[in-house]
């Protein structure tokens, strides 16, 4: 089930033959028609390339209102590209970037901290297949992903870290808000949670990368999605790096179960999902190995990332 923006969040839009760009009106001053007249102008905007892969490109843009440097804003433009075979799956479906834009808006409405969505664009072939699409968000200043932040904290403060428990409790609360509304992320890995540091204050977690987030109102599907979300998050840390205290703090923020299972039943389901996310069950290991064989057979290679 797709999530659609509230009427108050409806973006402005420009479009042409085979392409469409939409952005929230409060950001329109950064995209004057003289500079951003079509889809190609957005994806071709000059900036610092942070990541370059075969099907994904991420660029940091610095834009200002007019010539006023004081009004400069930094944006992230994430472009998804669809070669011929992956393009087939996009027919008559909402574009990946549009789905992610709507998902981020929905997280904000739920009171969950996530990157600020600005707009999206898409380009379709004459037969309706998505050739490429992009999502634009506000750049989160002074941030590390949760995995890197945890490693940095461990190096700086060996042993128990009281502040770490508070972070995990707040992330547990964020997942609970989502799941209480029957909204599931499917990409809630530690690397998809940014920690914005603010000097000596408690760092703030922000969700990013939610292109597959969606609502699942029926209980069997929602319980499966719940286990997948929590298992993917808790199972996304290197073995032995997630302390019992951090895990307990996470459940403290998450419980009671919004889907009304007992705490023990929930933990058992999440533990099974953690093993699957780490490819430590027989089925998940076979599937993972099969995907690797297929990628090798097709000669699929990932371009190296460019560190910013």
């Amino acid at each position: 089930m797709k999530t659609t923006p509230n009427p108050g969040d409806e973006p402005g839009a420009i479009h042409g033959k085979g392409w469409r760009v939409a952005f929230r009106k409060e950001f329109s001053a950064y995209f004057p028609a003289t500079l951003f007249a079509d889809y190609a102008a957005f994806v071709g905007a000059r900036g610092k390339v942070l990541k370059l892969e075969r099907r994904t490109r991420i660029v940091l843009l610095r834009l200002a209102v007019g010539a006023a440097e004081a009004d400069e804003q930094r944006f992230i433009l994430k472009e998804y590209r669809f070669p011929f075979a992956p393009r087939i799956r996009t027919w008559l479906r909402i574009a990946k970037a549009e789905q992610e834009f709507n998902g981020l808006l929905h997280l904000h409405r739920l009171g969950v901290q996530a990157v600020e969505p600005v707009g999206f664009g898409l380009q379709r072939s004459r037969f309706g297949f998505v050739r490429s699409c992009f999502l634009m968000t506000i750049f989160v200043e002074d941030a590390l992903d949760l995995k890197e932040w945890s490693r940095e904290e461990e190096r700086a403060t060996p042993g128990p870290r009281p502040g770490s428990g508070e972070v995990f409790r707040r992330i547990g609360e964020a997942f609970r808000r989502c799941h209480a509304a029957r909204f599931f992320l499917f990409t809630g890995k530690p690397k998809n949670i940014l920690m914005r540091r603010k000097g000596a204050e408690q760092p703030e977690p922000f969700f990013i990368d939610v292109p597959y987030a969606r609502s699942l109102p029926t209980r069997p599907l929602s319980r499966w999605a719940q286990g997948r979300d929590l298992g993917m998050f808790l199972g996304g840390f290197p073995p032995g790096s997630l302390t019992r205290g951090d895990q307990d703090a996470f459940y403290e923020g998450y419980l009671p179960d919004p889907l009304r299972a007992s705490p023990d039943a929930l933990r058992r389901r999440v533990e099974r999902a953690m093993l699957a996310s780490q490819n430590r069950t027989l089925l998940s290991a076979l599937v993972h190995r099969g995907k690797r064989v297929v990628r090798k057979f097709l000669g699929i290679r990932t371009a190296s990332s460019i560190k910013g």
Side-chain angles (χ1 to χ4, degrees), residues 99-135:
Q99 178 75 25
E100 187 166 4
F101 175 83
N102 291 339
L104 289 171
L105 280 180
H106 195 55
L107 287 175
H108 280 272
R109 290 196 296 273
L110 293 174
V112 174
Q113 292 209 106
V115 292
E116 183 79 13
V118 173
F120 66 90
L122 57 98
Q123 186 179 48
R124 292 186 183 271
S125 71
R126 60 184 296 185
F127 299 107
F129 298 99
V130 177
R131 297 171 59 189
S132 73
C133 60
F134 73 82
L135 170 75

Side-chain angles (χ1 to χ4, degrees), residues 274-294:
M274 286 173 63
L275 293 175
S277 72
Q278 296 168 343
N279 300 311
R280 291 167 59 191
T281 66
L282 178 60
L283 178 60
S284 61
L286 289 173
V287 170
H288 180 66
R289 184 174 299 177
K291 287 181 178 179
R292 290 178 59 187
V293 170
V294 170

Side-chain angles (χ1 to χ4, degrees), residues 53-68:
E53 295 180 346
R54 180 171 174 265
R55 292 177 52 188
T56 307
R57 184 176 68 102
I58 299 177
V59 183
L60 174 64
L61 304 177
R62 294 174 178 267
L63 302 175
V65 178

Side-chain angles (χ1 to χ4, degrees), residues 36-281:
F36 295 92
D38 55 21
Y39 181 87
F42 280 85
V43 295
R46 299 177 68 176
K48 183 178 182 180
V49 178
L50 301 182
K51 187 175 184 180
L52 181 62
E53 295 180 346
R54 180 171 174 265
R55 292 177 52 188
T56 307
R57 184 176 68 102
I58 299 177
V59 183
L60 174 64
L61 304 177
R62 294 174 178 267
L63 302 175
V65 178
E69 291 187 5
D71 291 329
E72 183 182 87
Q73 177 67 63
R74 298 209 283 179
F75 299 90
I76 290 291
L77 186 143
K78 178 167 57 174
E79 181 188 7
Y80 297 113
R81 300 165 177 172
F82 298 89
F84 179 75
R87 192 178 300 174
I88 295 172
R89 298 196 299 268
T90 69
W91 191 54
L92 299 179
R93 296 181 62 182
I94 185 171
K96 187 176 183 179
E98 184 176 0
Q99 178 75 25
E100 187 166 4
F101 175 83
N102 291 339
L104 289 171
L105 280 180
H106 195 55
L107 287 175
H108 280 272
R109 290 196 296 273
L110 293 174
V112 174
Q113 292 209 106
V115 292
E116 183 79 13
V118 173
F120 66 90
L122 57 98
Q123 186 179 48
R124 292 186 183 271
S125 71
R126 60 184 296 185
F127 299 107
F129 298 99
V130 177
R131 297 171 59 189
S132 73
C133 60
F134 73 82
L135 170 75
M136 191 174 289
T137 60
I138 297 293
F139 177 70
V140 180
E141 306 282 350
D142 191 25
L144 292 173
D145 71 52
L146 180 60
K147 219 171 188 177
E148 292 177 340
W149 178 84
S150 295
R151 283 197 293 263
E152 189 178 88
E153 287 291 296
E154 189 174 359
R155 287 194 295 267
T157 313
R161 304 183 301 276
S164 179
E166 175 60 18
V167 165
F168 278 84
R169 188 189 64 77
R170 292 177 64 184
I171 294 173
E173 288 179 344
F175 272 105
R176 189 179 198 285
R177 281 180 180 266
C178 293
H179 294 173
R182 302 297 194 270
F183 190 68
F184 303 91
L185 303 181
F186 293 104
T187 53
K189 302 175 182 179
K191 71 175 185 178
N192 290 334
I193 298 176
L194 290 183
M195 302 300 298
R196 184 170 68 180
R197 299 168 295 184
K198 298 178 68 177
E201 296 180 24
Q202 191 69 33
E204 299 175 306
F206 282 77
F207 283 99
I208 63 172
D209 286 342
V210 294
Y212 306 113
R214 62 187 59 244
S215 298
L216 293 172
T218 59
R219 179 160 293 183
L221 279 177
S222 61
R223 283 196 168 168
W224 165 77
Q226 175 195 44
R228 184 178 172 87
D229 265 6
L230 302 188
M232 183 176 290
F233 172 71
L234 294 173
F237 294 90
S241 65
L242 183 64
T243 69
R244 173 57 63 179
D246 288 342
Q247 205 168 141
D248 288 343
F250 175 81
Y251 278 112
E252 180 185 337
Y254 187 82
L255 292 171
D257 181 8
L259 302 187
R260 300 181 181 177
S262 70
D264 288 342
L266 174 66
R267 284 179 181 258
R268 286 194 297 270
R269 184 151 30 92
V270 172
E271 285 170 6
R272 290 195 297 269
M274 286 173 63
L275 293 175
S277 72
Q278 296 168 343
N279 300 311
R280 291 167 59 191
T281 66

